[in-house]
Amino acid sequence: MDLGDGTALLTDRYELTMLQAALRSGTADRRAVFEVFARSLPNGRRYGVVAGTGRLLDAIEAFRFEAAELDFLLSNGVVDETTAQWLEKYRFSGNVWGYAEGDCYFPGSPILVVEGTFGEAVLLETLVLSVLNHDSAIASAASRMVQAAQGRPLIEMGSRRTHEHAAVAAARAAHIAGFATTSNLEAGRRYGVPTAGTSAHAFTLLHDSERHAFEAQLASLGADTTLLVDTYDVERAVRTGVELAGPSLGGVRLDSGDLGALARSVREQLDALGATGTRIVVTGDLDEYGIAALAAAPVDGYGVGTALVTGSGAPTASLVYKLVARADRPGEDAPLRPVAKRSPGKPSRGGRKTAVRRFDGHGVARAETITTGEPDPGPHDRVLQVPLVRNGEIVGREPLAAARERHARSVAELPAAAVRLSRGEPAVPTEFVDGGARP
Amino acid sequence: MDLGDGTALLTDRYELTMLQAALRSGTADRRAVFEVFARSLPNGRRYGVVAGTGRLLDAIEAFRFEAAELDFLLSNGVVDETTAQWLEKYRFSGNVWGYAEGDCYFPGSPILVVEGTFGEAVLLETLVLSVLNHDSAIASAASRMVQAAQGRPLIEMGSRRTHEHAAVAAARAAHIAGFATTSNLEAGRRYGVPTAGTSAHAFTLLHDSERHAFEAQLASLGADTTLLVDTYDVERAVRTGVELAGPSLGGVRLDSGDLGALARSVREQLDALGATGTRIVVTGDLDEYGIAALAAAPVDGYGVGTALVTGSGAPTASLVYKLVARADRPGEDAPLRPVAKRSPGKPSRGGRKTAVRRFDGHGVARAETITTGEPDPGPHDRVLQVPLVRNGEIVGREPLAAARERHARSVAELPAAAVRLSRGEPAVPTEFVDGGARP
C-alpha cells in the first residue's frame, strides 16, 4: 500500500471537471479568492480551534500531477488532453493567508483565504477542507478536554478508534490543543509529539499470574513505569505492585469501573503503603464531561481515546470553502468583485475578508471584527490572518511547539465563559463590517 | 509528506513496551489468540457491516520495521537493542481468520481471529483496530443509507469532511455497502471505485451569468452532464438548462432548501419542458433519515457527504482486540487455554471462537451461534470465518466487487426488521455455546 508523496488525487472529481470547463470557456485564468469558514460551532460550543495548517502547507507543496495521476485521469475520461497538459505543469502559484495554527475561531471567522487563478485555487478545495475539517475538529474537542483537566496531563490514545492515518493527525492536533503525550508512534516520529504507553490487559493475561506480569514489566521498564491494575482485583494488584516496585512505583492505571471512587480508594491504599508519589492515571471512555466529573478525585492524569479522535460528538468542523470574489477577465490587473450564491439557508457573504480580534484593556477578547476592507486594529487588538503561501512559496511553516503555545495563549485571552462545557453562545461575538470591496 | 510504504509505526507505543517486557520474561513466544469483536452495536442499530479486511491484509503485509523505524524507536528509548533486533526480523508468521468483507455482524461476533506468538500478534492490535473500526463504521452507516434509498443510486461525496486518507477508505467502504459512485479520485485510482462529479456553486459564480456557466459546462461535459441549479433561482436555472442542453439534459442537482418540494416542482417543470428523462439528484446534509423522507419524492439519486464519512452518529465501530487464549509455555505444541479479564462492565469471554449463521428453511438468518468448539453448521447454515492469512501468507485477497456482492446478499438474508432505521435490538440474536477449549 504505497500512499506515495502526491496529494493531487486526494480530491473530488468535480474540481477537475470544473477546471476543464473553465479552461474551455476562458474563465480558468480569472483571479479568484476562496475563503474557508464555519457557519456555526457544533453542539453549542463556545470556540473552535484552527488546526492542520502545518499539514496543509506540506500537502499543498505535494499537490502535483505526475504521470501516474495523469494516466488515471485520462484513461478514465475524467479530463481531456488539454486539461491534462495544464495539470502536468500545475504548481500553486498564488497566495494563502490564514489564522495561525492553534488560534481560536468563531462562526464566520475567515480562517483561510486562498487567492490565485480560479483554476489553481479551485483544485485545492477538497484537500484544504479535508485537512482543516479533520484536524480542527480534533483540536476543538481536545481543547475542551484540556480545560476540563485543569492542568492535569492528558494522554491521547485513540489511534485504534479511527483511520490509521487520521490517528497520526489526531495526535498532532491534540498536542497543539494541550495534550501532553500520545500513544501513536508515527506521530512521535513525524511530528515529534512525545509518546507514552506501558501495557494492556493482554500483558497481564499472558503471564501465569498478575505478579509475574508486574515483575516482567518492572524488569523491562523500571520502577517508574505505570502498572495496569484492574485486570482482576484492584486492591490486590496495587498491593502487589508496590510490594514489587517499592514505594517509588511510578504509577497505576485504572481503566474500568467507577473511576472516581476507585481513584480515592487506591490513593488511600497507596499512601498507606508509603507510595505517596505514585501517580494514578485513569482511562476508559473519558470525554470532557467525564474528565470534569473527576476534578475532585485524586487523579494525576487522564488517557482519552474514542472521544478525542471522534471530536467528542463533532467529528468534523463543518468548514466550507467558498468563492467570495473573482475578476471579470483574466489577468493580474483585473479588479476582483464580490460574489455569493443565494441558496436558501446557506447564506454566504461576498468579498475577501480580513479579521481582527478586539481586546479590552484587561487583555480579554471582546469581539471578532470581520470586514471586506483592510484590517483596522486598535492598540490592544490582533490581526488574525498571517501569510502562509506567497506567490506559491510556503512561508508559514513553524515548529509544532509554536502552535501549541499559541493555542494556550489564545484560550487564555477568551472571556471566562469560553471554557464552560455547557451549550452556549460563541465566547466572542462576530461582527461583520462592510468595508467595500478590496481590489 | 512522504507517508511511505511502512505501517509499523501506525501503532501504540504500549504494543512495543509489552513486546519488550515479554521478550525479557520469556513469554513473547507463547502461542496466543486475539479476537476482534464489538460489545454492542451503536445507537440501537440492527446490524453492523465488516469492512476494511482487504486494506488490512495489505497493511499487515507492509508491517515491517526498517532502519528508519528502528532508529526512531531506539533513539527515543521506546525499545532496547534486543527488542530492536527482534523487530528487524519481524514478519507476521501466524494465521488470521475473519468474517468475509461485506458480511454483516452482531454484538459478540468474532469478526477477526489472530493466532501467532504473543509478540507477533500483539503488535498488530492498533493497526487491526484502526482499519476495521473506521471502515466498518462507514460501511455500517452506508448500508442503512442504501436500504433507505430503496434502489436509487447513492453518490459518496464526503471527502472534504474527513481526514484526506480516511476519505479514500470511506469511499471504498461505502462502495462495499452499495454506494454506486464516489467523488474521491484516489479511491478511483487505488480501488477502482467509479467516480462522479460535475460542478459546484463556485463554477456558476465564476461566470458572468448562470447561462454562461451552463454553456461552459455543457460544452465541456456534454448534454448528459448534471447541472447545479440552486445558485440563484431554481426555476430559472432549470429553464435555462433545458433551453441550452435540450430535453436530453442528463440531470439537475438540488443542494439546498426543501428538497422534497423542490424535487416535485422541478420534476413537473422538466416534464413540461419535455425533459422527461432528465434525472434529479439531491444533496445537502442528507443522512439515512433524510433519504428515507424523500422516498416518495421524484428523486433519481442522492449525494451523501458528512453523514457518510462520520458514520452518521457512530464514527467508530467500537471493535476491541482481546487476548482470549494463550499457551503456558513457548512452542507450537503447547496447548492453548482460555483467558479473560474481570474488569467490571467490560466482560470478555475466554477461548478462541468460531461462528455460524443459522438460517431457517426460507433462507432467513435466525441466529448467530458462537462457540469455543468447532463450528457445527446445519445444511442451511453458513460458517462465518474464512482464512485470511495462513502461516504469514496472505490468502484472503479478493476483488472489491466480491465484498460488494457479498454485502448485498448478507443484508438480503436478514429478517425484514433489520432494515428498519428506528432503534431496536440486533436483527439476529447472538447465542454463545460453550464448546470447551480447542487445542
Side-chain angles (χ1 to χ4, degrees):
Chain A
M1 186 179 58
D2 184 359
L3 293 169
D5 287 6
T7 57
L9 293 194
L10 299 172
T11 195
D12 287 332
R13 178 170 172 144
Y14 81 1
E15 316 292 6
L16 291 166
T17 52
M18 285 192 279
L19 169 69
Q20 177 173 308
L23 283 172
R24 196 161 172 149
S25 71
T27 53
D29 286 336
R30 291 183 175 190
R31 199 152 60 99
V33 177
F34 288 86
E35 278 178 7
V36 174
F37 61 94
R39 294 197 175 92
S40 61
L41 299 175
N43 305 335
R45 292 200 188 151
R46 314 297 181 110
Y47 63 96
V49 181
V50 176
T53 318
R55 292 207 312 117
L56 176 60
L57 295 178
D58 291 342
I60 289 175
E61 199 167 59
F63 199 88
R64 301 263 190 282
F65 294 85
E66 312 282 355
E69 285 83 18
L70 295 171
D71 282 353
F72 168 76
L73 296 174
L74 284 168
S75 63
N76 285 269
V78 177
V79 299
D80 58 23
E81 273 292 347
T82 309
T83 308
Q85 283 163 22
W86 190 96
L87 291 173
E88 192 173 5
K89 285 177 274 182
Y90 179 83
R91 301 286 185 276
F92 180 72
S93 71
N95 301 303
V96 181
W97 299 264
Y99 279 35
E101 189 162 17
D103 210 345
C104 296
Y105 72 87
F106 305 95
S109 294
I111 69 167
L112 202 80
V113 178
V114 178
E115 182 195 49
T117 66
F118 176 83
E120 67 180 352
V122 77
L123 286 190
L124 298 179
E125 175 180 28
T126 309
L127 185 60
V128 164
L129 289 177
S130 290
V131 173
L132 295 182
N133 266 324
H134 176 267
D135 291 18
S136 299
I138 305 303
S140 297
S143 179
R144 287 160 56 87
M145 295 169 187
V146 170
Q147 294 301 319
Q150 299 182 18
R152 293 172 177 172
L154 288 156
I155 308 165
E156 187 284 306
M157 40 185 276
S159 295
R160 64 190 55 198
R161 298 280 189 249
T162 188
H163 182 276
E164 67 276 18
H165 287 290
V168 185
R172 180 184 180 279
H175 191 61
I176 289 172
F179 272 56
T181 53
T182 179
S183 64
N184 189 286
L185 288 170
E186 185 63 25
R189 172 166 70 162
R190 201 179 301 169
Y191 302 118
V193 180
T195 61
T198 57
S199 63
H201 296 106
F203 186 76
T204 299
L205 295 172
L206 168 69
H207 287 81
D208 299 331
S209 71
E210 191 172 58
R211 174 176 294 266
H212 281 121
F214 287 0
E215 281 172 346
Q217 185 175 331
L218 291 163
S220 175
L221 300 176
D224 193 42
T225 193
T226 297
L227 296 171
L228 177 59
V229 292
D230 70 343
T231 304
Y232 305 112
D233 177 83
V234 171
E235 190 185 347
R236 197 186 64 187
V238 169
R239 196 178 339 117
T240 306
V242 176
E243 187 187 320
L244 293 172
S248 65
L249 173 64
V252 296
R253 176 159 79 96
L254 300 165
D255 183 51
S256 53
D258 179 340
L259 294 173
L262 270 176
R264 277 182 206 94
S265 65
V266 167
R267 182 75 269 157
E268 281 180 25
Q269 187 188 359
L270 285 169
D271 290 348
L273 293 167
T276 54
T278 300
R279 298 175 297 275
I280 299 176
V281 177
V282 296
T283 59
D285 285 335
L286 288 173
D287 60 11
E288 61 267 48
Y289 305 101
I291 292 167
L294 291 167
V299 166
D300 301 287
Y302 304 92
V304 187
T306 306
L308 186 278
V309 297
T310 60
S312 198
T316 182
S318 298
L319 298 166
V320 295
Y321 185 91
K322 293 295 166 191
L323 181 70
V324 295
R326 52 91 179 159
D328 286 324
R329 54 183 168 78
E332 281 290 317
D333 60 328
L336 290 169
R337 66 181 197 82
V339 293
K341 66 177 169 172
R342 293 200 293 266
S343 307
K346 294 183 177 176
S348 298
R349 287 168 200 270
R352 169 173 154 191
K353 293 164 213 77
T354 62
V356 170
R357 192 157 297 158
R358 308 273 181 206
F359 293 91
D360 66 17
H362 304 285
V364 178
R366 293 301 177 195
E368 188 99 330
T369 304
I370 299 168
T371 174
T372 49
E374 293 294 334
D376 173 30
H380 303 298
D381 300 342
R382 180 150 54 87
V383 176
L384 292 165
Q385 293 166 345
V386 300
L388 298 173
V389 180
R390 192 178 288 137
N391 298 324
E393 189 198 343
I394 310 290
V395 298
R397 283 211 177 82
E398 62 178 9
L400 194 62
R404 181 173 156 89
E405 288 157 20
R406 180 180 300 111
H407 179 64
R409 286 196 306 275
S410 182
V411 174
E413 290 168 353
L414 300 182
V419 301
R420 287 191 199 146
L421 296 181
S422 58
R423 297 174 72 97
E425 296 297 311
V428 172
T430 305
E431 308 170 336
F432 282 93
V433 176
D434 190 347
R438 296 198 302 162
Chain B
M1 185 181 55
D2 184 0
L3 293 168
D5 287 5
T7 56
L9 293 193
L10 298 172
T11 195
D12 288 331
R13 179 171 171 142
Y14 80 1
E15 316 292 6
L16 291 166
T17 51
M18 284 192 279
L19 169 69
Q20 177 173 307
L23 283 171
R24 195 162 172 147
S25 71
T27 53
D29 287 335
R30 290 182 175 192
R31 198 152 61 99
V33 177
F34 288 86
E35 277 178 6
V36 174
F37 61 93
R39 295 196 174 91
S40 61
L41 299 176
N43 305 333
R45 292 199 188 153
R46 315 296 180 110
Y47 63 96
V49 181
V50 175
T53 317
R55 293 207 312 116
L56 176 60
L57 295 178
D58 290 343
I60 290 175
E61 198 166 61
F63 199 89
R64 299 264 190 282
F65 293 84
E66 311 284 355
E69 285 83 17
L70 295 171
D71 282 353
F72 168 77
L73 295 174
L74 283 167
S75 63
N76 285 268
V78 177
V79 300
D80 59 22
E81 273 293 347
T82 308
T83 308
Q85 283 164 21
W86 190 96
L87 291 173
E88 193 175 4
K89 284 177 276 181
Y90 179 82
R91 302 285 184 277
F92 179 72
S93 70
N95 302 303
V96 181
W97 299 264
Y99 278 35
E101 189 162 17
D103 211 343
C104 295
Y105 72 87
F106 304 96
S109 293
I111 69 167
L112 202 80
V113 177
V114 178
E115 182 195 49
T117 66
F118 176 82
E120 66 179 354
V122 77
L123 286 189
L124 297 180
E125 175 181 28
T126 309
L127 185 60
V128 164
L129 289 177
S130 289
V131 173
L132 296 181
N133 267 322
H134 175 267
D135 292 17
S136 299
I138 305 302
S140 297
S143 179
R144 286 161 55 86
M145 295 169 187
V146 170
Q147 293 302 318
Q150 300 181 19
R152 293 172 176 170
L154 288 157
I155 308 165
E156 187 286 305
M157 40 184 276
S159 295
R160 63 191 54 198
R161 299 279 190 251
T162 187
H163 182 277
E164 67 275 18
H165 288 291
V168 185
R172 180 185 180 279
H175 191 61
I176 289 172
F179 271 57
T181 53
T182 178
S183 64
N184 189 285
L185 288 170
E186 184 64 25
R189 174 167 66 162
R190 202 179 302 167
Y191 302 118
V193 181
T195 60
T198 58
S199 62
H201 295 107
F203 186 76
T204 299
L205 295 172
L206 167 70
H207 287 80
D208 299 333
S209 70
E210 192 172 57
R211 175 177 293 267
H212 281 121
F214 287 0
E215 281 172 345
Q217 185 177 331
L218 291 162
S220 176
L221 301 176
D224 193 41
T225 192
T226 297
L227 296 171
L228 177 58
V229 292
D230 70 343
T231 304
Y232 304 112
D233 177 84
V234 171
E235 190 184 348
R236 198 186 62 186
V238 170
R239 197 179 336 119
T240 306
V242 176
E243 188 187 319
L244 294 172
S248 65
L249 172 65
V252 297
R253 176 160 76 97
L254 300 165
D255 184 51
S256 52
D258 179 340
L259 295 173
L262 270 176
R264 277 181 207 95
S265 64
V266 167
R267 183 74 268 159
E268 280 180 24
Q269 188 187 359
L270 285 169
D271 290 349
L273 294 167
T276 53
T278 301
R279 298 176 297 275
I280 299 176
V281 177
V282 296
T283 58
D285 285 334
L286 288 173
D287 60 11
E288 61 269 48
Y289 305 101
I291 292 167
L294 291 167
V299 166
D300 301 287
Y302 304 92
V304 187
T306 306
L308 186 277
V309 297
T310 60
S312 199
T316 182
S318 298
L319 299 165
V320 296
Y321 185 92
K322 294 294 168 193
L323 181 69
V324 295
R326 51 94 179 157
D328 285 323
R329 53 181 168 80
E332 281 289 318
D333 60 328
L336 291 168
R337 67 181 195 84
V339 293
K341 66 177 171 174
R342 293 199 294 265
S343 307
K346 294 183 177 177
S348 298
R349 286 167 201 271
R352 169 174 156 191
K353 293 165 211 77
T354 61
V356 170
R357 191 157 298 157
R358 307 271 180 209
F359 294 90
D360 66 17
H362 305 285
V364 178
R366 293 300 177 196
E368 188 99 331
T369 305
I370 300 168
T371 175
T372 50
E374 293 294 333
D376 173 30
H380 303 298
D381 301 342
R382 181 150 51 89
V383 175
L384 292 164
Q385 294 167 343
V386 299
L388 299 172
V389 181
R390 191 178 288 138
N391 298 324
E393 189 198 343
I394 311 291
V395 297
R397 283 211 176 83
E398 62 178 8
L400 194 61
R404 181 172 157 89
E405 288 156 22
R406 179 180 300 112
H407 178 64
R409 286 196 307 274
S410 182
V411 174
E413 291 167 352
L414 300 182
V419 301
R420 287 191 199 146
L421 297 181
S422 57
R423 298 173 70 97
E425 295 298 311
V428 171
T430 305
E431 308 171 335
F432 282 94
V433 176
D434 189 347
R438 296 198 302 160

